[in-house]
Amino acid sequence: MVEPVRVGVVGLGTVGSGVVRLLVESADHITRHAGRPIIVERAVVRDPAKPRSVHLPADRISTDIRDISRDPSISVAALLVGGLEPARSMMVELLEQGKDVVTANKALLAEHGPELFALARARGRSIAFEAAVAGGIPIVAAIGECLAANRIESIRGILNGTSNFILSTMEEDAADYAETLALAQAKGYAEADPSMDVDGTDATQKLAILAHLAFGAWVPWADIPRTGIEQVDQSLMTCAAELGYRIRLVAVAARTAAGLLALRVAPALVRVGTPLAETRGAYNAVSIVGDAVGPMFFHGLGAGQMPTASAVVADIIDTVVGRAAITFRTTGVLDADGQASPMGGDTQGRHFLRLHVSDRPGVLARITGILGEHGISIASVIQHDADADSADASVPLVIMTHRSASTAIRAAVEAIDRCDAVRGPSVCLGVLDD
Ligand code: NAP
Ligand code: HSE
């Protein structure tokens, strides 16, 4: 009889409960893959009196991380508590007490990844984090292992399930933003602080982790330019739809010709019929170009209980089998020299501008003049009649540009927003046609 592996689960919320459920309900299948049974020995939570969707004996649930870290029978801990503290201190305690750790906490890794990876190495332990990026999609393994022969040229993806659920539900059902966000929370997709989903923080933290894996570059996530979906409303979606596009929150990482890293997270227009535009609900999508393999596309549920538990349990199995240790200890994929990678590369692309302007002669000429002064060529202009409810008699003006440098369009929009005929700040979104 092979000895079972005993696992400690820290956090029994959406993800932690899914992990326990999978380990119990799929025990036979998991035993076959792990080569031995995996047993949940103990769970640590904040409030042991809270009703749970999974059953563990009361004497196996407590509030002290040391009940897991100091239990010599437990070799692997799944850290499924969000945020920075106490998650960071818990991770340190687990590693220092000799536990291998599996986590879904991207905020923690994006903020403290290098120091935690270094500590794990120093203690001869591993940290596995497939569930931290794109939920059930095995993108960490794909970049770190399966595509290891490739120099990654670019990554483009939808990395936040909550914001994608909000955008696609608003678009398909003309649903209200606040109600849709509440629904995403009820379904377990959102972070404890959902502003991190809608302001682009969560997607940016995931992009920083992917950039580390793909480009060997440790980028402080807060340095990555980031715009959330708060400015996206029904009227913007209607303008995009008229032109044959949908709006998605897109994360982009690419090496520019000058060798710099261009990274950003922002809403973008994606052409109807392309894979990103067809990514709906809590699904995520990641498109990668490798120099040997060419373009690849990954699609799957990026948030929610069981898709995320799928990734966590796969990491637990990898850890039990020893694969996580080999990857973690013997490759340089997670090395970081502590230096931020050179960022700020300029990118080329088409842009969509939506302005509200005074309905008087010469205004359109002034706007197009500013774009011309910045070397930006216009592909199309749509001017609608004044909104019936517009208090200042302004009219919406939509401009589609030809390809231009991102620095040029930013400078042009700043100049346009200074014009007295322009009412309120303009919206400028990148356009992705493929
Ligand atoms: P959640 O539902 O809020 O659960 C968090 C769990 O952490 C709860 O069980 C809570 O205990 C426990 N906890 C909080 N503070 C604690 C403390 N001081 N000591 C012990 N336990 C504590 O969060 P979640 O959605 O499962 O997310 C967990 C992690 O997975 C986060 O890092 C999140 O970003 C990540 N993630 C989530 C998803 C998703 O779809 N939800 C997907 C991918 C990654 P109580 O239950 O007693 O309050
Ligand atoms: N809040 C995250 C999302 C969970 O909506 O994508 C998955 O990381």
Side-chain angles (χ1 to χ4, degrees):
M1 171 74 179
V2 190
E3 265 297 296
V5 172
R6 295 178 195 282
V7 171
V9 178
V10 190
L12 278 184
T14 302
V15 182
S17 300
V19 167
V20 172
R21 189 174 137 199
L22 209 43
L23 287 172
V24 171
E25 291 181 4
S26 299
D28 290 349
H29 172 81
I30 288 168
T31 301
R32 189 163 68 85
H33 279 266
R36 52 210 285 209
I38 299 178
I39 291 174
V40 179
E41 180 68 14
R42 171 165 291 281
V44 164
V45 297
R46 183 171 34 198
D47 175 7
K50 207 186 251 188
R52 308 279 166 192
S53 62
V54 286
H55 175 72
L56 282 178
D59 64 353
R60 298 286 172 101
I61 301 183
S62 59
T63 57
D64 189 342
I65 187 69
R66 289 172 298 188
D67 292 340
I68 289 176
S69 65
R70 312 277 166 119
D71 181 340
S73 76
I74 295 175
S75 54
V76 184
L79 178 59
L80 303 170
V81 171
L84 298 183
E85 282 297 347
R88 183 188 155 281
S89 307
M90 288 170 154
M91 170 90 83
V92 168
E93 165 70 14
L94 291 165
L95 293 170
E96 285 188 336
Q97 296 305 319
K99 308 303 177 199
D100 289 315
V101 180
V102 171
T103 189
N105 187 331
K106 55 279 165 133
L108 179 63
L109 296 180
E111 193 72 39
H112 297 294
E115 74 196 58
L116 293 170
F117 295 143
L119 175 63
R121 282 242 170 96
R123 302 287 169 182
R125 307 300 357 138
S126 59
I127 301 173
F129 53 93
E130 184 62 71
V133 185
I137 302 177
I139 197 66
V140 171
I143 296 178
E145 297 166 36
C146 312
L147 299 178
N150 289 262
R151 282 176 60 85
I152 303 297
E153 292 168 1
S154 65
I155 300 173
R156 186 194 276 178
I158 293 172
L159 298 179
N160 183 264
T162 301
S163 53
N164 203 61
F165 177 81
I166 293 172
L167 291 175
S168 60
T169 308
M170 283 172 67
E171 165 198 288
E172 286 164 24
D173 305 340
D176 173 74
Y177 177 94
E179 279 173 19
T180 314
L181 172 56
L183 190 54
Q185 289 178 281
K187 285 176 175 281
Y189 303 151
E191 296 302 303
D193 171 5
S195 66
M196 297 180 74
D197 293 293
V198 297
D199 75 2
T201 296
D202 178 78
T204 306
Q205 291 171 333
K206 291 166 176 166
L207 185 65
I209 294 170
L210 290 188
H212 188 190
L213 283 170
F215 304 110
W218 181 254
V219 181
W221 71 268
D223 291 353
I224 299 175
R226 156 177 63 95
T227 309
I229 63 166
E230 304 97 323
Q231 63 180 348
V232 180
D233 56 18
Q234 288 291 353
S235 76
L236 204 60
M237 288 181 166
T238 306
C239 290
E242 273 181 49
L243 295 162
Y245 293 87
R246 299 194 174 115
I247 300 177
R248 295 288 183 263
L249 184 67
V250 182
V252 177
R255 259 192 213 290
T256 67
L260 295 171
L261 268 186
L263 301 169
R264 70 173 180 281
V265 171
L269 263 65
V270 291
R271 187 183 280 285
V272 171
T274 59
L276 290 187
E278 301 310 320
T279 300
R280 299 163 197 274
Y283 278 81
N284 281 191
V286 189
S287 141
I288 297 180
V289 180
D291 62 350
V293 75
M296 298 202 75
F297 186 72
F298 301 80
H299 180 255
L301 279 164
Q305 183 171 64
M306 297 319 288
T308 311
S310 156
V312 173
V313 172
D315 270 350
I316 293 174
I317 295 171
D318 264 7
T319 304
V320 167
V321 167
R323 281 192 293 265
I326 293 171
T327 308
F328 196 79
R329 291 185 210 135
T330 58
T331 79
V333 171
L334 293 172
D335 287 351
D337 57 9
Q339 301 291 314
S341 189
M343 263 198 0
D346 205 1
T347 51
Q348 295 277 329
R350 299 199 317 130
H351 292 87
F352 161 98
L353 285 177
R354 201 275 307 268
L355 335 168
H356 285 97
V357 297
S358 306
D359 192 9
R360 55 181 154 84
V363 170
L364 184 56
R366 177 79 191 107
I367 304 289
T368 56
I370 292 174
L371 289 168
E373 285 159 21
H374 288 81
I376 296 162
S377 159
I378 294 170
S380 66
V381 177
I382 303 174
Q383 183 178 323
H384 289 284
D385 288 337
D387 296 335
D389 55 357
S390 166
D392 57 2
S394 66
V395 290
L397 184 64
V398 173
I399 299 175
M400 204 49 132
T401 75
H402 286 301
R403 286 175 71 80
S404 59
S406 52
T407 45
I409 193 85
R410 273 200 300 276
V413 171
E414 280 173 21
I416 287 170
D417 282 346
R418 286 195 293 272
C419 289
D420 61 1
V422 176
R423 306 273 175 246
S426 318
V427 173
C428 174
L429 305 181
V431 178
L432 303 174
D433 285 301
D434 54 358

